[in-house]
């Protein structure tokens, strides 16, 4: 008798937990990579699938952690965080995004990465039967927690003909009536689309009119290129009344593993988040928060990171277009989102997942497939390379390998 047979909660499948034989996307990619590596041990895998920076944090940030890590005063639980971090976050929002008038202690609280923050926000807002409106494809954490809590999720597909913005007018009235959260994410993972002030204005109007709280996931907000300047939802009039923005140091400062983020926005919702957080974790290590303060005060770190990605995008986008893709350089994120090929030679692909698997097995090129709203492949510019020459070599190699496949579009 399996003691745990009837113990696992229904939200995880109850008695069916662990019996699911379906293999999920990322596991399938992992297996395909392993197989390709085994079959072609001498050919390096070109990994365009990674959603994390390829380099460690800036040495100044690392030094700050080193010098703070052993100090006695930093050893305590930090609970809802140190004031210096809140103050630095407020300054950062002002300097980078022009968000004025934030009270660091009322409008801002840190998080141990933005993932747990996005998990906790439904705990602040969702009662059973409430609906979260969530863009797809995308980062699923807020939607998943909504379902855990007995809420429902209404998906808003991001499609090319609507410039990868959600069509807020298409939401049925009965859904709107029960909607509590609108989750959006710009610059968007995976489409690479960036927000406009007009779009944020529409979102604020929608939120007011329909009594819906806006959660803006700004994980990539500072990672922008060319003439597009970082844009905060909070910089638009009325945003602070209806919503909250979640910022992360992961992508803008190469600090994914450090786990540091912050929420900013409506004081009541920030306070509710603080209450859930206080009952969930005991805060990030103070030395890491202090290293985070250093990062937030040194925005040139992000500037350099963006210059590198921008250079890589120039190479990648022109190579993809020579191969036959219809690629455009995004204005933010590190993702290039292109329509998936229909086939290669005599092989046809039913969806992006099949195309992605084919690319790994036949050309040792790893991408991430998305089939939620059309079939697309995501190429990430966070592949491992040191400097322009190496980057160019990898992209040239990618082009050569792909041209050999006779891809059909
Ligand atoms: C859109 C989006 N939001 C949030 C996160 C979580 O980032 P972190 O928890 O490292 O802050 C990610 C990570 O990939 C992401 O892509």
């Amino acid at each position: 008798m399996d003691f745990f047979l009837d113990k696992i909660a229904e939200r995880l499948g109850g008695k069916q937990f662990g019996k699911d034989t379906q293999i999920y996307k990322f596991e399938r990619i992992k297996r395909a990579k392993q197989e390709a590596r085994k079959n072609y041990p001498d050919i390096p895998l070109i990994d365009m699938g990674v959603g994390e920076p390829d380099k460690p944090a800036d040495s100044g940030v690392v030094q700050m952690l080193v010098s703070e890590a052993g100090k006695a005063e930093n050893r305590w639980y930090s609970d809802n965080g140190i004031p210096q971090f809140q103050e630095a976050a407020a300054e950062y929002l002002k300097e980078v995004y022009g968000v004025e008038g934030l009270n660091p202690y009322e409008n801002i609280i840190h998080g141990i990465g933005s993932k747990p923050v996005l998990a906790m926000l439904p705990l602040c807002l969702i009662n059973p039967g409430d609906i979260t409106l969530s863009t797809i494809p995308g980062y699923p954490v807020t939607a998943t927690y909504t379902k855990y809590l007995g809420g429902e999720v209404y998906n808003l597909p991001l499609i090319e003909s609507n410039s990868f913005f959600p069509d807020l007018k298409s939401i049925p009235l009965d859904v709107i009536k029960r909607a509590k959260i609108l989750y959006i994410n710009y610059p968007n993972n995976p489409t690479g689309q960036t927000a406009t002030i007009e779009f944020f204005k529409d979102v604020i109007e929608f939120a007011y009119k329909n009594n819906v709280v806006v959660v803006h996931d700004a994980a990539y907000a500072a990672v922008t290129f060319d003439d597009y300047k970082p844009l905060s939802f909070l910089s638009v009039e009325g945003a602070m009344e209806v919503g909250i923005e979640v910022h992360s140091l992961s992508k803008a400062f190469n600090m994914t593993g450090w786990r540091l983020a912050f929420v900013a926005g409506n004081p009541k919702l920030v306070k509710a988040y603080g209450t859930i957080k206080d009952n969930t974790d005991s805060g990030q290590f103070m030395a890491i928060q202090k290293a985070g303060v250093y990062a937030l005060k040194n925005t040139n770190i992000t500037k350099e990171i963006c210059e590198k990605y921008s250079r890589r995008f120039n190479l990648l986008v022109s190579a993809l277009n020579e191969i036959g893709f219809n690629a455009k350089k995004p204005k933010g994120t590190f993702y290039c989102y292109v329509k998936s090929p229909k086939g290669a030679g005599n092989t046809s692909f039913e969806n992006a997942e099949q195309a992605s698997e084919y690319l790994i097995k036949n050309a040792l090129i790893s991408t991430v497939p998305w089939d939620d709203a059309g079939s697309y492949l995501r190429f990430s510019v966070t592949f491992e390379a040191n400097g322009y020459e190496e980057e160019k070599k990898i992209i040239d190699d990618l082009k050569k390998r792909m041209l050999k496949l006779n891809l059909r579009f």
Side-chain angles (χ1 to χ4, degrees), residues 51 112-116 118 139 183 185 189 217 219-220 248-251 256 259-261 335:
I112 304 182
S114 56
K115 188 176 189 175
L118 293 168
Y139 200 66
Y183 166 85
N185 158 233
N189 173 15
D217 176 349
Y220 298 85
S248 172
L249 277 74
S250 289
K251 324 278 170 167
T256 41
R259 314 310 300 135
L260 194 54
Y335 305 121

Side-chain angles (χ1 to χ4, degrees), residues 91-231:
E91 270 303 305
Y92 173 78
L93 288 177
K94 191 164 145 194
E95 184 196 327
V96 178
Y97 301 94
V99 180
E100 303 273 353
L102 289 174
N103 176 334
Y105 320 110
E106 288 184 3
N107 293 118
I108 295 172
I109 293 184
H110 87 292
I112 304 182
S114 56
K115 188 176 189 175
V117 174
L118 293 168
M120 285 180 216
L121 290 173
L123 283 154
C124 303
L125 296 163
I126 295 294
N127 290 320
D130 288 345
I131 291 179
T132 289
L133 308 167
S134 182
T135 55
I136 55 155
Y139 200 66
V141 174
T142 299
T144 303
Y145 263 75
T146 298
K147 286 189 242 167
Y148 283 173
L149 295 165
E152 290 167 36
V153 175
Y154 183 84
N155 288 326
L156 300 169
L158 300 178
I159 54 173
E160 208 160 335
S161 56
N162 204 35
S163 309
F164 301 116
F165 290 121
D167 181 1
L168 299 173
K169 292 196 176 78
S170 71
I171 308 168
L173 247 162
D174 58 320
V175 171
I176 289 197
K177 272 193 194 140
R178 289 198 288 133
K180 198 65 151 314
I181 297 177
L182 168 65
Y183 166 85
I184 51 172
N185 158 233
Y186 290 93
N188 181 259
N189 173 15
T191 68
Q193 181 57 290
T194 43
T196 58
I197 294 178
E198 285 66 39
F199 169 68
F200 280 153
K201 278 186 183 162
D202 288 348
V203 166
I204 293 165
E205 197 185 314
F206 172 86
Y208 265 119
K209 191 170 153 214
N210 300 300
N211 251 327
V212 175
V213 175
V214 179
V215 172
H216 180 230
D217 176 349
Y220 298 85
V223 182
T224 66
F225 317 113
D226 302 329
D227 57 347
Y228 186 85
K229 299 285 164 270
L231 177 66

Side-chain angles (χ1 to χ4, degrees), residues 52 55-66 110-113 248-250 253-261 284-285 287-295:
E52 295 193 48
K55 290 282 182 276
D58 178 81
S59 59
V61 177
V62 176
Q63 274 318 308
M64 186 58 79
L65 173 62
V66 168
H110 87 292
I112 304 182
S248 172
L249 277 74
S250 289
F253 295 99
N254 290 353
M255 290 172 74
T256 41
W258 294 57
R259 314 310 300 135
L260 194 54
Q284 183 51 279
F285 182 30
I288 289 184
Q289 290 185 57
K290 287 181 182 173
V293 170
Y294 177 93

